[in-house]
Amino acid sequence: KAGVTQTPRYLIKTRGQQVTLSCSPISGHRSVSWYQQTPGQGLQFLFEYFSETQRNKGNFPGRFSGRQFSNSRSEMNVSTLELGDSALYLCASSPGQGGSEQYFGPGTRLTVT
Amino acid sequence: GEDVEQSLFLSVREGDSSVINCTYTDSSSTYLYWYKQEPGAGLQLLTYIFSNMDMKQDQRLTVLLNKKDKHLSLRIADTQTGDSAIYFCAEIYYNQGGKLIFGQGTELSVKP
């Protein structure tokens, strides 16, 4: 079974621009969560989607948004990029709501200049 | 409150056992996890334990859970240089969906 895939793997953007990251969960998994990883703050929860509904949201500004499609694929969008948004963005896939097994993708490395 | 604490560094010799420790604060946690992250990579799920268990063994990995002290440990037997990585402890609250709360990570260095 293929693992979690994330595209693109690397991205360089300029302050003020917006970006969209994509995540395809493991086949059959219906829950997708997003995390931001930075050296200073560590791993922080962004949001979780299950069956196209956002179930939970972390403490991030409204510039961070996401959605999930009927095939469980998910996208997250960051508008008006700031230098501090430079991070590794990780997506996790789980079979169900609050599932015991959460598998992560390789991440998207976003650099904001 | 939501808080998971880990020591930052651990250095061991190849062939020795490694023990990585973690403490958490919320007794309502349902599952507790260990993830491994190698440089430039995502998180690899190593193992997880349900909160009503005391121990789980999976090949070279042994997880011990002390609910009274809110203490979780990961023991790696016969540690190899390929085990060098950052190890993250995480907990999940069932009433908050699938939100994982992570520790800061423990960097394991295995010397030949």
Side-chain angles (χ1 to χ4, degrees), chain A residues 71-89:
Chain A
N71 62 357
S72 295
R73 190 178 70 85
S74 177
E75 288 181 346
M76 67 163 279
N77 184 277
V78 188
S79 62
T80 320
L81 284 165
E82 299 177 0
L83 295 178
D85 297 332
S86 294
L88 181 66
Y89 290 88

Side-chain angles (χ1 to χ4, degrees), chain B residues 83-110:
Chain B
D83 295 323
S84 292
I86 299 177
Y87 290 79
F88 290 93
C89 164
E91 60 178 340
I92 198 168
Y93 309 151
Y94 187 74
N95 63 359
Q96 290 194 37
K99 176 181 175 181
L100 286 167
I101 309 297
F102 285 91
Q104 315 94 302
T106 299
E107 183 177 347
L108 175 64
S109 173
V110 183

Side-chain angles (χ1 to χ4, degrees), chain A:
Chain A
K1 208 181 240 190
V4 180
T5 57
Q6 291 187 246
T7 56
R9 292 292 313 279
Y10 303 92
L11 207 47
I12 300 175
K13 289 287 190 178
T14 304
R15 270 172 50 185
Q17 288 186 314
Q18 75 161 13
V19 67
T20 299
L21 311 182
S22 180
C23 171
S24 292
I26 292 169
S27 178
H29 285 195
R30 296 169 63 193
S31 176
V32 172
S33 299
W34 289 89
Y35 293 82
Q36 182 196 64
Q37 185 178 28
T38 59
Q41 299 298 316
L43 283 151
Q44 293 187 287
F45 172 80
L46 281 156
F47 22 66
E48 180 197 8
Y49 288 88
F50 178 80
S51 292
E52 301 178 68
T53 301
Q54 185 179 90
R55 283 200 74 223
N56 207 346
K57 190 176 192 305
N59 189 24
F60 278 82
R63 300 185 297 107
F64 291 81
S65 63
R67 59 178 174 169
Q68 187 180 33
F69 301 95
S70 58
N71 62 357
S72 295
R73 190 178 70 85
S74 177
E75 288 181 346
M76 67 163 279
N77 184 277
V78 188
S79 62
T80 320
L81 284 165
E82 299 177 0
L83 295 178
D85 297 332
S86 294
L88 181 66
Y89 290 88
L90 292 161
C91 162
S93 158
S94 179
Q97 300 183 61
S100 58
E101 297 175 14
Q102 296 208 25
Y103 298 95
F104 282 79
T108 294
R109 172 74 62 186
L110 172 64
T111 302
V112 182
T113 62

